[in-house]
Amino acid sequence: MLTLSVRCQRVSCQLLASSSTSPLVQTRSYATQPKKGQIVKQASQGFKGKKNTSSGQMEHAKKDKKMMAFQPLPVSQLPHPLFESDRPDTLALQSFHPEMLTRVAESQALKFPHNENDPFRIFGLPRNILVEFRLLSKPCSVIRSVTIDAINKLDAASDKNSKESRVVLTGPQGCGKSYLLLQALQYCNARDWLVLYIPRATNLVNSTTAHTYDMRTRTYSQPIFAYQTLQRFLKVNALRLEQLRTQTEIEIERRPPVPPGTPLVELINIGLKDQGHAPTVLGAVLEEIGKQTIFPVLLAVDDFQALYCKSHYRDQHFSAIKSYHLSMPRLLLEYASGQKSFARGAVFGALSMGNTTFPLPLELREALSLEHDRPCGPYVKRQPELVEYAHGLERLAVPGSLSVPEAASVFEVWMKDRAVPSKPNDELFLTKYSEASGNARAFVWKGLLSSMSA
Amino acid sequence: MVHVLGVQLPDYQYARFALTAFYGIGHKTAHRLCARLQIHDKCKVRSLTPHQITELAAFLSSPSTSIPIPRFPLATSSYKPPPASTPLAVLKEEMKKLSQRAWADPLRNIKIESEARRVVKDNIAHQRMIGSYVGKRHAMGLPVRGQNTQNNARTAKKLNRVDRRG
């Protein structure tokens, strides 16, 4: 009980504390001392329900609304004795190291490394995982048998063309596809691969980023997203990109061509100086790293099915724009379909089965030989372009339920982090595991964190 | 704050919602307008470029005389774009050949602000002129559409008149 209330307080008082200048001042609005001359009224309401609040409190309310939820509060801003733990930090996990990832390490929880150019920090994370990492004291994950399978695939792909290693992680909702993709990403980053991660591919097609028609490519380019992708790619892979140079002349609009032998970092900086050049530069950079054989390349995309759905964008005549007519999804689809490839590397995608706005389309379902959720005989229309873009994708099925040792490791992580409100014992573990049928998300969120038992 | 044709559009609002501030533009028309001007759904008014604002003002000042936009050609899956150094004139020529003629654009028939109010006034004036029941009720300042008058009818008594504000 205490641990949950402590955690909730940690989560709730971030709303104001992060804006305070002095860490020791209590800044929650109901607890602040009124300024000199300021009369603090009780919450009085007029006949029509009009609130009489001072301007200072209104500002606080506005600031509250602008803050986002689940920002972890630094320990230095929690001086109250309520936040002091009576037990030492018991979540001692080994670091996620590529050499450790063998069958022996199965069902073991490992913490992800944390450094300045960490791909999670720079590229971002899917929403569910972001929330979990903010609740946990340190980002970690459990190594499963399917993790070792994925890593073996990556090891095999490191010497082959990416056309032969285009893998899509499938499985029911909440089984751990996004986590597996994160583990693959960290593994490749530690193994000195060039990594490009798109954590939320839905943001490419849900009309949240600018789009303009480009006459040359006959598609709608997304310059701001391309610019941000270039920026993040450069930050995470800076040391590796410094060793690479262009192999051919690269032409960019309204600019003299970039000669061969130019460092790739310089080419990326051209795209960063002018957002209008970013889509062309991003395409050119991916082509160049596709030609080189020094570093293998991993292109990882979460919400992979969104690339095959109809986008929310509308063209000037109000017809829906297809995803392959947008520059960023088209680029990812070309690599996913094998039309473009990396000399060494792989393309990994993770489906998001719980997304109702961008559900799994028929063409992708058939390409991955997944079960149909509705009748679809030969008279149901399939878009030939999407069938072409989905051709040759390999499926890696993530098991729908955690094995008992894996679930036990997950339970231990949350237990040792003092996040389980109930008494953590074997009975609780087995009860919640059975109720969730081993499903990872249901086990953690609906089982452990949402229920309380004496 | 952006001022377009006398209407203030707050910076913090989504452009698609802010356009509904115009009399005569609702959510559907605003969505179509944003699509025409290539403004995405979550674009805020402060992110609009000066070019987009100028186009918006130019379109709204006279929608019926706006230039019809052709249907742009879109790349097939096997399309390989020409090199980036291709001159703009060459690209425009190719586009002209491939662009298809657009069919009727519903946005060209919209009426906003004073024109839309004039339409409402003219309709009421016509009803009065022909001596219809609707016209008489507007003149008396009573409900027009068969509502009860024993009680209520406050809005009609306040607002209904022959030169009713649209």
Side-chain angles (χ1 to χ4, degrees):
Chain A
M1 275 296 283
L2 179 66
T3 53
L4 182 63
S5 61
V6 164
R7 196 167 289 277
C8 288
Q9 283 195 12
R10 272 182 76 184
V11 168
S12 61
C13 72
Q14 55 75 32
L15 288 170
L16 295 164
S18 56
S19 64
S20 66
T21 48
S22 163
L24 296 176
V25 168
Q26 184 56 268
T27 51
R28 274 175 260 170
S29 57
Y30 61 84
T32 47
Q33 296 301 314
K35 292 175 196 168
K36 268 189 183 175
Q38 186 188 27
I39 301 161
V40 177
K41 291 180 187 174
Q42 292 295 317
S44 58
Q45 295 192 349
F47 179 72
K48 300 242 172 173
K50 284 176 192 162
K51 288 179 188 167
N52 299 321
T53 52
S54 61
S55 58
Q57 287 186 356
M58 279 293 285
E59 278 170 21
H60 264 304
K62 276 184 187 170
K63 269 188 184 168
D64 288 353
K65 278 184 186 171
K66 282 181 191 168
M67 296 291 177
M68 288 188 326
F70 300 117
Q71 289 279 358
L73 203 58
V75 175
S76 56
Q77 289 196 18
L78 298 168
H80 196 278
L82 190 65
F83 301 125
E84 281 169 17
S85 64
D86 47 347
R87 284 171 285 170
D89 181 19
T90 48
L91 188 62
L93 297 173
Q94 286 184 302
S95 216
F96 185 99
H97 211 262
E99 271 82 43
M100 284 191 65
L101 298 176
T102 54
R103 293 279 169 201
V104 174
E106 267 181 45
S107 312
Q108 210 180 344
L110 300 175
K111 66 176 181 199
F112 287 121
H114 179 71
N115 48 48
E116 214 184 272
N117 296 335
D118 187 37
F120 294 173
R121 212 175 67 82
I122 307 295
F123 285 124
L125 289 165
R127 199 189 136 273
N128 290 338
I129 297 180
L130 184 70
V131 165
E132 279 191 26
F133 283 179
R134 286 200 165 145
L135 289 178
L136 287 169
S137 56
K138 41 191 101 129
C140 58
S141 68
V142 170
I143 306 301
R144 297 169 68 180
S145 58
V146 70
T147 313
I148 309 300
D149 294 339
I151 278 159
N152 290 340
K153 274 197 194 291
L154 286 168
D155 285 336
S158 66
D159 294 320
K160 290 194 286 186
N161 195 292
S162 72
K163 223 182 282 197
E164 298 163 47
S165 317
R166 294 172 286 127
V167 177
V168 178
L169 307 176
T170 62
Q173 209 172 337
C175 68
K177 302 179 286 296
S178 298
Y179 262 101
L180 180 56
L181 196 65
L182 290 185
Q183 288 170 337
L185 176 71
Q186 278 291 351
Y187 177 78
C188 291
N189 191 41
R191 280 268 190 235
D192 225 19
W193 287 42
L194 287 163
V195 293
L196 177 58
Y197 178 47
I198 311 280
R200 306 177 199 192
T202 46
N203 286 343
L204 293 171
V205 290
N206 61 1
S207 192
T208 50
T209 183
H211 67 300
T212 43
Y213 182 75
D214 180 20
M215 279 190 284
R216 185 178 69 87
T217 54
R218 294 183 193 169
T219 55
Y220 290 86
S221 69
Q222 293 167 302
I224 295 177
F225 204 98
Y227 170 85
Q228 285 171 353
T229 309
L230 269 177
Q231 216 174 25
R232 289 162 188 170
F233 182 67
L234 176 64
K235 190 125 195 241
V236 173
N237 302 288
L239 292 171
R240 292 159 217 150
L241 288 170
E242 276 164 14
Q243 302 172 41
L244 299 176
R245 288 172 184 272
T246 57
Q247 296 179 18
T248 52
E249 190 182 67
I250 294 165
E251 292 183 8
I252 301 173
E253 297 97 340
R254 304 182 305 274
R255 226 197 149 270
V258 177
T262 312
L264 273 187
V265 176
E266 223 177 273
L267 174 62
I268 293 173
N269 284 330
I270 294 170
L272 296 181
K273 271 189 205 147
D274 184 357
Q275 270 184 7
H277 292 145
T280 316
V281 169
L282 180 62
V285 164
L286 287 179
E287 270 195 51
E288 288 299 322
I289 62 171
K291 288 176 196 161
Q292 55 83 34
T293 50
I294 305 169
F295 301 107
V297 185
L298 174 70
L299 173 58
V301 181
D302 211 332
D303 287 340
F304 187 71
Q305 83 287 348
L307 301 176
Y308 292 82
C309 296
K310 213 185 273 187
S311 75
H312 287 178
Y313 286 98
R314 298 275 184 166
D315 70 3
Q316 281 141 321
H317 298 277
F318 210 58
S319 317
I321 299 177
K322 307 267 167 53
S323 59
Y324 46 86
H325 289 146
L326 293 160
S327 68
M328 284 295 307
R330 190 184 179 91
L331 189 64
L332 299 175
L333 284 171
E334 282 170 347
Y335 282 96
S337 62
Q339 287 180 13
K340 291 185 179 171
S341 60
F342 307 115
R344 288 175 68 196
V347 177
F348 265 50
L351 301 180
S352 174
M353 305 300 278
N355 197 324
T356 48
T357 337
F358 297 101
L360 186 61
L362 175 61
E363 294 87 354
L364 189 56
R365 202 181 272 275
E366 288 187 333
L368 296 170
S369 315
L370 293 172
E371 274 175 18
H372 294 287
D373 57 345
R374 62 194 70 183
C376 44
Y379 298 106
V380 175
K381 195 176 175 186
R382 289 142 176 89
Q383 284 191 47
E385 294 91 348
L386 290 180
V387 171
E388 202 185 318
Y389 281 125
H391 183 68
L393 288 171
E394 194 188 323
R395 173 179 142 199
L396 176 59
V398 179
S401 50
L402 295 165
S403 67
V404 174
E406 289 165 3
S409 294
V410 170
F411 181 80
E412 260 186 48
V413 165
W414 288 96
M415 178 187 75
K416 285 181 179 172
D417 228 10
R418 304 194 299 276
V420 179
S422 320
K423 193 171 174 187
N425 52 20
D426 287 342
E427 192 189 327
L428 176 75
F429 166 69
L430 284 172
T431 316
K432 297 305 166 192
Y433 179 76
S434 320
E435 280 173 8
S437 310
N439 183 275
R441 188 187 294 162
F443 176 58
V444 172
W445 285 94
K446 292 187 183 149
L448 298 181
L449 300 183
S450 303
S451 60
M452 243 192 292
S453 59
Chain B
M1 284 290 191
V2 170
H3 284 266
V4 178
L5 299 183
V7 175
Q8 226 178 39
L9 304 179
D11 279 341
Y12 56 83
Q13 281 184 348
Y14 288 134
R16 202 175 128 187
F17 175 76
L19 288 177
T20 56
F22 287 95
Y23 182 88
I25 295 181
H27 292 289
K28 296 221 165 168
T29 320
H31 196 185
R32 277 187 177 265
L33 258 179
C34 286
R36 188 193 178 95
L37 301 166
Q38 295 190 59
I39 298 170
H40 59 280
D41 291 350
K42 298 296 174 191
C43 180
K44 299 228 168 158
V45 171
R46 59 172 165 249
S47 320
L48 290 176
T49 60
H51 175 67
Q52 281 173 323
I53 295 169
T54 320
E55 264 194 56
L56 177 69
F59 179 81
L60 289 178
S61 59
S62 138
S64 52
T65 57
S66 63
I67 304 161
I69 299 174
R71 297 197 84 86
F72 297 136
L74 291 169
T76 54
S77 54
S78 54
Y79 175 72
K80 296 280 174 244
S85 55
T86 315
L88 204 61
V90 171
L91 293 172
K92 280 185 178 170
E93 267 304 310
E94 274 184 38
M95 266 244 320
K96 256 189 194 173
K97 286 180 208 166
L98 294 166
S99 298
Q100 294 163 23
R101 217 184 61 170
W103 50 75
D105 184 9
L107 276 181
R108 302 187 78 213
N109 301 328
I110 62 166
K111 290 188 174 8
I112 62 165
E113 293 296 326
S114 53
E115 275 185 24
R117 288 182 220 273
R118 200 181 312 132
V119 166
V120 175
K121 270 194 183 159
D122 288 349
N123 289 342
I124 299 170
H126 171 256
Q127 295 282 2
R128 186 76 186 110
M129 189 189 73
I130 62 173
S132 70
Y133 175 79
V134 167
K136 284 179 194 162
R137 296 298 277 183
H138 268 112
M140 288 194 283
L142 288 173
V144 176
R145 293 178 178 179
Q147 294 99 318
N148 289 345
T149 47
Q150 185 171 12
N151 289 311
N152 304 333
R154 298 295 179 93
T155 311
K157 284 176 186 171
K158 185 162 70 172
L159 296 180
N160 278 6
R161 54 198 76 162
V162 177
D163 60 344
R164 184 192 159 125
R165 180 192 71 84

